[in-house]
C-alpha cells in the first residue's frame, strides 16, 4: 500500500505543471504518481532483486546547486529535482573541483583533482585513453552508454577560449565575452528550446527502453550530459562569440516565481578584489545594468533550469515505464553553477557560491530517502561512490571518498570517517591568477597564485551568505589554520608555477604554428573590439610576458619599434630555445 508520504508527495508534485513532451501535463502528473508508488515499494538494501543495481547519471551544465533545496528551490518549479529530493538524498554542500566545463568533468570522470591530471583549462584536460569509472563498470559486466555532453578530454572548445586562458598573465585588460542578455522565443506552448539536449534525452530514453527489453541479465549504466542551463552563444557577435544569451520561452517563464527574484548586492568596482574585478571586466559586466535587466537575466536562467529539470523527468519516466526504476540508482548533478549576475558577473570561473556550488541528489534501492546531507563533498567523490554502489573495488590514487556511507540504509557503512572539507581550484580564462578554494566548517578560504603576490579572501558563510565581506584580516588565526590545511592537500605555489610554464609553452607553440597569420588571427578572437583599439601595444604586451628580460633586450635594439612590427624571426629562435629544446 502507498504510504502517507507517497500521498503527500503526490499532491505536491501534482501541483506542478511540468512536461517532457507534447504539452500533456495531466499525463505527466499521473506518471509522477506512478513513480511514487513504485519507489515506496523498493527494497531496503542495494541489489535485493538483482546482483547489481543499474546506475543512471544525468549531469547538466551550469546548474546552481542552491536551487535543489530551500530556500532556493522556491524560486522555480523543479518537480523532478524535488522528486529526487523527497525520495533520495540531497547534498547541501556539494562543490565542483574546478568551476569550468572540461576540468570539472575531468575531475568527475577520473576521480582526481585537476592539478593531478593537469587539466588546466577547457583545452587541456584528460587524455582520450584515461580510465573512467564508466570504463570500470563496463569491464565488470555492466552494459554502458554515454550520451550527450562529455567534455573531459583535451583539444576541445574555441581558439579564443584557450588563448584567453594562456595569456591571462599578460598586462592588458580586454573584454572577452558578450554582454549578458536575455532573449524570449516562442510562445506559451513552446517547450523544446534547447533542441540538441532534447535530442540527446530522446536517445537516452530510447536506449533505456531497448536495454530494459533485452533478455540479457547484466545491469546497465547510463550517462546523459546536458548543455542546459548554460547560456547560448550570442549569434549577433559573430562566429567567435561565447555564450552570453539567456534564452527561454513564455512556457518556462511560468515556472519561475518572479516575486522572489531579487537584485544581488554588488560591491563598488573600486572595492572589488583585483581578481574579481578582472573577471567582471573580461566578462563584459563592468558597464551599467538596470535592475530590470538583472532580474530578467536571473528569471530566464531559472526558466532554463526548469527546462533542464523536464529532461531529467523524461529519463525518470523511461525508467518507470520499463519497470527498472526500483533497481536503479539515479544521480543528478552538474559540472558547475552559474553566477547569473551575482557579484556583477555571469558564467562560472569563480569560487563564489553561485559558480562553485553544484546540485547532487542520489536516489536508489537501499538508499536513505528524504535526507538532507550537510557533509562537504565534491565531484571527485562520485568516482568511488559509483564503484562502491556497483560492488567494484576502486584502484589507483583517487582524490575522492565514497559517499555510500552517507547514503546507505545499511549499518555496515555508518561508522566510516568522512573528510570535513571540500577543495576546488581554477586555472582557466577570465581569471588572472590560479585560484584555490577550501571549504571547512562555516568558512570559505580563497587564495591565489603563490599565496603572496595576490591577497587572499575569507568568508563566513553562516553570517555572510552573499560573500560580500572579506574577513581575512579580521581572523588571522583562521586563515593560518586553513592555509596549513590547504597546503596539506596541494603545494599550490608549485602548481601555479607549473601552469605559468604550460601557458607560455602552449601559447608559444600555437603562435609559432600561425607564422605570418599570427597578427590577423589573434586580433580577431573574442576580444577583437578592445584589441583593435591598440593592436600593436597588445602584441607587444604579449611579447613582454612571453620573453621577459629577453624582450627588453630586443626592444633596446629597436627590433620591435617599427609601426609595421610583426613576429621577428629572432623571437622564433628564443621560443625554440626556451620552450622546445
Amino acid at each position: 500500500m502507498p504510504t502517507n508520504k507517497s500521498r503527500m508527495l503526490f499532491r505536491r508534485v501534482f501541483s506542478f505543471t511540468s512536461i517532457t513532451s507534447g504539452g500533456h501535463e495531466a499525463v505527466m502528473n499521473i506518471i509522477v504518481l506512478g513513480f511514487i508508488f513504485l519507489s515506496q515499494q523498493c527494497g531496503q538494501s542495494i541489489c535485493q532483486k538483482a546482483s547489481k543495481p543499474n546506475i543512471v547519471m544525468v549531469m547538466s551544465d551550469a546548474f546552481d546547486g542552491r536551487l535543489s533545496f530551500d530556500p532556493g528551490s522556491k524560486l522555480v518549479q523543479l518537480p523532478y529535482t524535488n522528486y529526487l529530493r523527497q525520495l533520495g538524498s540531497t547534498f547541501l554542500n556539494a562543490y565542483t573541483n574546478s568551476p569550468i566545463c572540461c576540468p570539472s568533468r575531468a575531475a568527475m570522470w577520473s576521480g582526481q583533482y585537476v592539478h593531478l591530471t593537469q587539466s588546466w583549462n577547457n583545452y587541456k584536460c584528460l587524455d582520450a585513453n584515461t580510465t573512467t569509472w564508466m570504463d570500470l563498470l563496463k569491464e565488470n559486466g555492466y552494459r554502458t552508454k554515454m550520451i550527450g555532453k562529455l567534455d573531459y578530454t583535451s583539444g576541445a572548445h574555441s581558439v579564443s577560449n584557450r588563448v584567453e586562458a594562456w595569456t591571462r598573465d599578460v598586462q592588458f585588460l580586454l573584454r572577452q565575452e558578450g554582454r549578458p542578455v536575455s532573449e524570449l522565443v516562442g510562445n506559451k506552448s513552446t517547450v523544446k528550446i534547447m533542441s540538441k539536449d532534447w535530442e540527446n534525452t530522446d536517445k537516452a530514453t530510447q536506449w533505456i527502453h531497448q536495454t530494459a527489453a533485452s533478455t540479457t541479465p547484466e545491469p546497465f549504466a547510463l550517462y546523459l550530459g546536458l548543455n542546459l542551463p548554460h547560456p547560448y552563444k550570442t549569434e549577433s557577435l559573430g562566429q567567435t562569440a561565447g555564450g552570453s544569451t539567456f534564452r527561454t520561452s513564455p512556457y518556462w517563464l511560468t515556472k519561475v516565481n518572479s516575486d522572489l527574484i531579487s537584485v544581488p548586492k554588488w560591491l563598488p568596482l573600486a572595492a572589488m578584489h583585483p581578481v574579481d574585478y578582472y573577471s567582471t571586466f573580461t566578462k563584459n559586466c563592468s558597464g551599467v545594468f538596470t535592475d530590470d535587466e538583472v532580474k530578467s537575466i536571473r528569471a530566464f536562467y531559472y526558466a532554463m533550469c526548469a527546462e533542464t529539470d523536464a529532461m531529467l523527468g523524461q529519463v525518470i519516466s523511461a525508467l518507470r515505464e520499463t519497470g527498472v526504476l526500483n533497481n536503479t540508482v539515479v544521480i543528478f548533478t552538474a559540472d558547475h553553477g552559474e553566477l547569473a549576475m551575482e557579484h556583477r558577473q555571469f558564467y562560472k570561473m569563480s569560487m563564489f557560491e553561485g559558480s562553485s556550488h553544484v546540485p547532487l541528489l542520489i536516489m536508489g534501492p537501499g538508499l536513505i530517502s528524504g535526507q538532507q546531507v550537510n557533509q562537504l563533498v565534491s565531484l571527485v567523490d562520485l568516482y568511488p561512490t559509483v564503484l562502491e554502489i556497483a560492488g567494484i573495488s576502486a584502484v589507483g590514487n583517487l582524490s575522492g571518498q565514497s559517499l555510500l556511507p552517507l547514503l546507505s540504509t545499511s549499518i555496515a557503512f555508518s561508522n566510516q570517517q568522512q573528510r570535513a572539507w571540500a577543495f576546488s581550484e581554477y586555472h582557466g580564462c577570465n581569471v588572472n591568477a590560479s585560484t584555490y578554494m577550501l571549504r571547512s566548517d562555516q568558512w570559505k578560504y580563497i587564495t591565489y597564485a603563490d599565496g603572496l603576490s595576490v591577497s587572499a579572501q575569507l568568508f563566513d558563510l553562516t553570517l555572510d551568505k552573499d560573500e560580500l565581506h572579506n574577513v581575512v584580516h579580521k581572523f588571522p588565526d583562521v586563515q593560518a589554520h586553513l592555509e596549513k590545511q590547504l597546503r596539506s592537500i596541494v603545494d599550490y605555489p608549485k602548481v601555479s608555477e607549473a601552469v605559468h610554464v604550460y601557458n607560455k609553452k602552449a601559447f608559444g607553440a600555437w603562435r609559432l604554428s600561425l607564422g605570418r597569420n599570427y597578427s590577423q588571427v589573434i586580433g580577431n578572437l573574442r576580444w577583437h573590439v578592445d584589441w583593435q583599439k591598440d593592436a600593436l601595444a597588445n602584441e607587444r604586451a604579449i611579447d613582454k610576458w612571453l620573453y621577459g628580460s629577453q624582450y627588453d633586450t630586443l626592444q633596446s635594439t629597436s627590433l620591435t619599434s617599427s609601426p609595421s612590427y610583426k613576429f621577428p624571426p629572432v623571437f622564433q629562435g628564443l621560443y625554440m630555445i626556451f620552450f622546445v629544446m
Side-chain angles (χ1 to χ4, degrees):
M1 295 291 292
T3 64
N4 289 334
K5 183 177 180 181
S6 297
R7 296 189 182 95
M8 293 176 62
L9 182 54
F10 166 66
R11 295 190 190 104
R12 194 175 305 157
V13 175
F14 191 87
S15 68
F16 286 118
T17 55
S18 69
I19 77 168
T20 59
S21 62
H24 302 296
E25 298 178 0
V27 173
M28 285 312 303
N29 288 327
I30 293 171
I31 290 174
V32 170
L33 175 60
F35 295 165
I36 306 302
F37 288 172
L38 283 174
S39 297
Q40 291 297 325
Q41 307 307 314
C42 291
Q44 293 303 306
S45 64
I46 287 182
C47 315
Q48 261 195 345
K49 296 185 179 181
S51 58
K52 293 182 179 180
N54 307 311
I55 300 171
V56 173
M57 178 184 292
V58 178
M59 182 178 226
S60 81
D61 203 313
F63 200 111
D64 185 345
R66 299 171 298 175
L67 297 178
S68 64
F69 53 86
D70 292 339
S73 61
K74 300 181 184 300
L75 286 166
V76 57
Q77 295 175 17
L78 304 172
Y80 294 101
T81 304
N82 185 60
Y83 170 76
L84 292 181
R85 180 160 64 113
Q86 294 294 328
L87 293 177
S89 292
T90 306
F91 286 84
L92 304 181
N93 292 290
Y95 288 88
T96 179
N97 297 111
S98 189
I100 194 170
C101 302
C102 196
S104 172
R105 293 166 188 265
M108 189 276 291
W109 283 112
S110 70
Q112 293 185 302
Y113 294 133
V114 300
H115 66 270
L116 297 178
T117 61
Q118 298 184 3
S119 300
W120 302 135
N121 54 53
N122 271 345
Y123 181 68
K124 172 70 170 67
C125 281
L126 300 181
D127 293 334
N129 61 355
T130 298
T131 299
T132 68
W133 50 261
M134 189 67 88
D135 294 324
L136 294 178
L137 290 180
K138 186 175 183 178
E139 291 175 6
N140 284 271
Y142 271 76
R143 180 182 298 191
T144 62
K145 186 69 172 179
M146 299 161 72
I147 299 173
K149 187 170 186 177
L150 300 178
D151 200 17
Y152 65 89
T153 57
S154 295
H157 291 267
S158 69
V159 174
S160 287
N161 190 275
R162 70 192 68 158
V163 173
E164 291 156 8
W166 292 335
T167 59
R168 63 181 190 168
D169 291 325
V170 178
Q171 295 301 302
F172 53 42
L173 192 59
L174 307 171
R175 289 171 294 176
Q176 300 170 2
E177 308 288 350
R179 179 184 169 94
V181 295
S182 57
E183 180 185 3
L184 189 65
V185 298
N187 52 46
K188 289 186 178 181
S189 63
T190 304
V191 176
K192 295 187 176 182
I193 313 302
M194 184 24 145
S195 58
K196 186 64 177 178
D197 276 353
W198 282 106
E199 290 173 11
N200 286 327
T201 302
D202 289 342
K203 291 178 182 178
T205 55
Q206 290 166 10
W207 187 85
I208 290 172
H209 280 272
Q210 293 167 0
T211 304
S214 172
T215 58
T216 55
E218 72 265 27
F220 66 80
L222 169 67
Y223 168 87
L224 172 62
L226 303 174
N227 201 61
L228 274 182
H230 190 291
Y232 292 83
K233 180 178 179 179
T234 305
E235 302 291 347
S236 61
L237 298 180
Q239 294 183 348
T240 62
S244 58
T245 296
F246 293 82
R247 180 183 301 150
T248 195
S249 71
Y251 176 85
W252 294 112
L253 280 176
T254 64
K255 313 301 180 188
V256 178
N257 191 340
S258 57
D259 293 338
L260 295 182
I261 296 177
S262 61
V263 176
K265 297 177 181 178
W266 291 348
L267 293 175
L269 289 172
M272 294 176 74
H273 187 278
V275 173
D276 296 330
Y277 177 80
Y278 178 91
S279 296
T280 291
F281 191 93
T282 58
K283 292 179 181 179
N284 206 354
C285 291
S286 59
V288 176
F289 288 84
T290 67
D291 287 355
D292 286 344
E293 282 182 289
V294 174
K295 284 186 175 181
S296 178
I297 289 169
R298 291 174 70 75
F300 278 53
Y301 169 67
Y302 298 141
M304 293 160 69
C305 291
E307 186 178 358
T308 308
D309 180 82
M311 297 176 197
L312 171 65
Q314 184 169 313
V315 172
I316 296 174
S317 174
L319 295 170
R320 185 206 64 82
E321 292 166 359
T322 55
V324 298
L325 181 62
N326 62 342
N327 193 47
T328 301
V329 174
V330 180
I331 302 170
F332 175 60
T333 189
D335 56 353
H336 50 72
E338 165 61 55
L339 287 163
M341 300 310 293
E342 293 181 9
H343 299 278
R344 201 177 188 129
Q345 296 180 42
F346 75 110
Y347 254 3
K348 53 275 185 178
M349 304 127 170
S350 167
M351 295 302 174
F352 289 128
E353 287 292 286
S355 167
S356 63
H357 199 140
V358 297
L360 181 56
L361 300 98
I362 305 178
M363 178 192 80
L367 304 183
I368 301 171
S369 64
Q371 175 184 222
Q372 293 191 331
V373 183
N374 283 302
Q375 180 74 35
L376 286 157
V377 300
S378 65
L379 292 179
V380 291
D381 295 322
L382 288 175
Y383 190 114
T385 301
V386 168
L387 293 186
E388 189 165 19
I389 287 172
I392 301 170
S393 298
V395 295
N397 182 27
L398 297 180
S399 301
Q401 290 182 311
S402 173
L403 303 178
L404 195 55
L406 302 172
L407 301 170
S408 177
T409 57
S410 171
I411 61 173
F413 298 105
S414 61
N415 295 321
Q416 293 189 20
Q417 185 69 30
Q418 298 290 314
R419 62 170 61 112
W421 48 264
F423 168 71
S424 187
E425 59 191 299
Y426 184 73
H427 309 284
C429 58
N430 295 107
V431 175
N432 59 346
S434 285
T435 305
Y436 307 87
M437 183 271 283
L438 184 67
R439 274 281 283 115
S440 180
D441 297 321
Q442 77 267 38
W443 303 106
K444 177 184 287 185
Y445 179 56
I446 308 171
T447 189
Y448 307 88
D450 57 3
L452 300 172
S453 56
V454 183
S455 59
Q457 299 198 75
L458 178 67
F459 299 101
D460 184 339
L461 297 187
T462 302
L463 302 176
D464 181 24
K465 294 185 184 299
D466 295 328
E467 299 172 286
L468 295 173
H469 304 284
N470 179 10
V471 294
V472 71
H473 298 302
K474 187 176 180 180
F475 296 100
D477 291 345
V478 173
Q479 180 191 11
H481 169 72
L482 294 176
E483 174 73 15
K484 181 179 179 180
Q485 190 172 20
L486 177 61
R487 288 184 183 250
S488 71
I489 301 166
V490 55
D491 184 351
Y492 72 85
K494 183 177 179 180
V495 171
S496 298
E497 180 58 29
V499 177
H500 283 301
V501 172
Y502 158 78
N503 284 341
K504 288 188 175 183
K505 184 174 182 178
F507 178 83
W510 172 78
R511 171 175 173 162
L512 195 62
S513 72
L514 295 175
R516 294 182 178 274
N517 294 324
Y518 165 71
S519 294
Q520 179 181 0
V521 173
I522 198 167
N524 285 284
L525 300 178
R526 291 192 299 193
W527 56 29
H528 63 92
V529 173
D530 285 354
W531 180 278
Q532 298 300 342
K533 292 176 182 177
D534 197 341
L536 181 60
N538 291 325
E539 286 198 40
R540 286 176 171 170
I542 287 179
D543 287 339
K544 189 170 185 178
W545 158 73
L546 193 59
Y547 301 109
S549 60
Q550 295 295 327
Y551 171 81
D552 295 332
T553 301
L554 292 169
Q555 274 286 89
S556 67
T557 64
S558 300
L559 281 174
T560 63
S561 60
S562 169
S564 60
Y565 164 67
K566 299 292 182 182
F567 184 27
V570 68
F571 277 10
Q572 297 184 28
L574 285 173
Y575 171 77
M576 298 298 291
I577 293 172
F578 291 163
F579 302 118
V580 178
M581 298 180 65

